[in-house]
Amino acid sequence: MVIDEAEAEAMRGLGAYLARLGHTHVAMVVDSGRADTAPHEIVDVTTLYNNARLRMQGLREGLGANARLTVVSGGHNSIESGIAAAALALDRRDRPTAIAAGGDVLAFGVIEAMRRRGLTPGRDISVTGFDDIPDAESAGLTTVRQPIRDKGRLLGRMLLDPSYTEDRVVLPTELIIRSSTGPVRS
C-alpha cells in the first residue's frame, strides 16, 4: 500500500519556479530523522529517507544543470533543526540565494535563523516549504500544498475497506506562492 504525493514532481515544479526567479545557488534543509544529529552537509544522499531523497532529486532537476544545490540537516523535523541547518547554510561565505526546506516546520526554523541575522525572506533570500500547514499562510511561506486530509482518509480506507483494491495512489500537489520568495537581488 502506497500513497504518493508525487514528491519529485512537486519539487521539480518548485525548482523550476526558483530558477525562473534567477536562483542558481540553493540550499535544501532536510529532516535527518534523528533528534541528536549535529548540523551537517549531506554528502551521501542515500542516507536520506525516501521522501527527502525524492524531494531533493526533483528540486535538483527543476533548478537545472547549471544550478548548485547544497543539502543540509540540523536533525529531526523541528523548528530548532531548521534553525541549526539554516545557520550552516547562512553563515557560509558563499551563501545561497534560496533555501528550500523539506517541510514547513523546518522552513519556519529557516525564517527564524534569517531574522536573527537581519535577513528578510523573499527579499534577501527566498525560502520555501512543503506541506502548506495552517501557519504557512500567516507566515507568508511559499510552499507545496499536499492534500493531508485526503491522504489520511485514503490511508484509512486502504487499511479498513477490504473491497478497496488499489495498492498505489498518487495525490495531486500545488505550488502556493507567497511573500517568502522573490527574484535574486543583484
Side-chain angles (χ1 to χ4, degrees), residues 113-166:
M114 287 178 61
R115 289 201 173 119
R116 291 178 184 180
R117 288 161 178 76
L119 301 169
T120 302
R123 186 190 73 198
D124 299 312
I125 297 174
S126 287
V127 179
T128 68
F130 196 104
D131 294 323
D132 197 29
I133 63 175
D135 289 340
E137 185 174 9
S138 62
L141 181 64
T142 294
T143 188
V144 173
R145 177 180 291 157
Q146 63 171 319
I148 295 170
R149 285 190 177 98
D150 292 343
K151 184 177 179 179
R153 279 198 262 327
L154 187 55
L155 183 57
R157 183 169 180 210
M158 291 171 102
L159 291 170
L160 301 173
D161 183 352
S163 68
Y164 191 83
T165 58
E166 287 189 61

Side-chain angles (χ1 to χ4, degrees), residues 48-60:
L48 296 175
Y49 67 94
N50 193 48
N51 284 355
R53 208 170 37 253
L54 289 170
R55 290 176 187 181
M56 187 236 22
Q57 173 191 347
L59 180 63
R60 179 172 278 145

Side-chain angles (χ1 to χ4, degrees), residues 10-12 14-18 23 25-31 52 55-56 58-60 63 68-73 82 85-86 89-90 96-108 110-111 114 125-130 141-144 175 180-181:
M11 289 300 276
R12 196 173 299 114
L14 176 64
Y17 167 69
L18 291 173
H23 297 284
H25 182 195
V26 177
M28 182 173 184
V29 173
V30 297
D31 175 354
R55 290 176 187 181
M56 187 236 22
L59 180 63
R60 179 172 278 145
L63 288 168
R68 182 173 53 172
L69 179 64
T70 304
V71 182
V72 294
S73 180
L90 294 170
T97 61
I99 299 177
D104 290 350
V105 172
L106 290 169
F108 296 150
V110 172
I111 290 169
M114 287 178 61
I125 297 174
S126 287
V127 179
T128 68
F130 196 104
L141 181 64
T142 294
T143 188
V144 173
L175 178 60
S180 69
T181 51

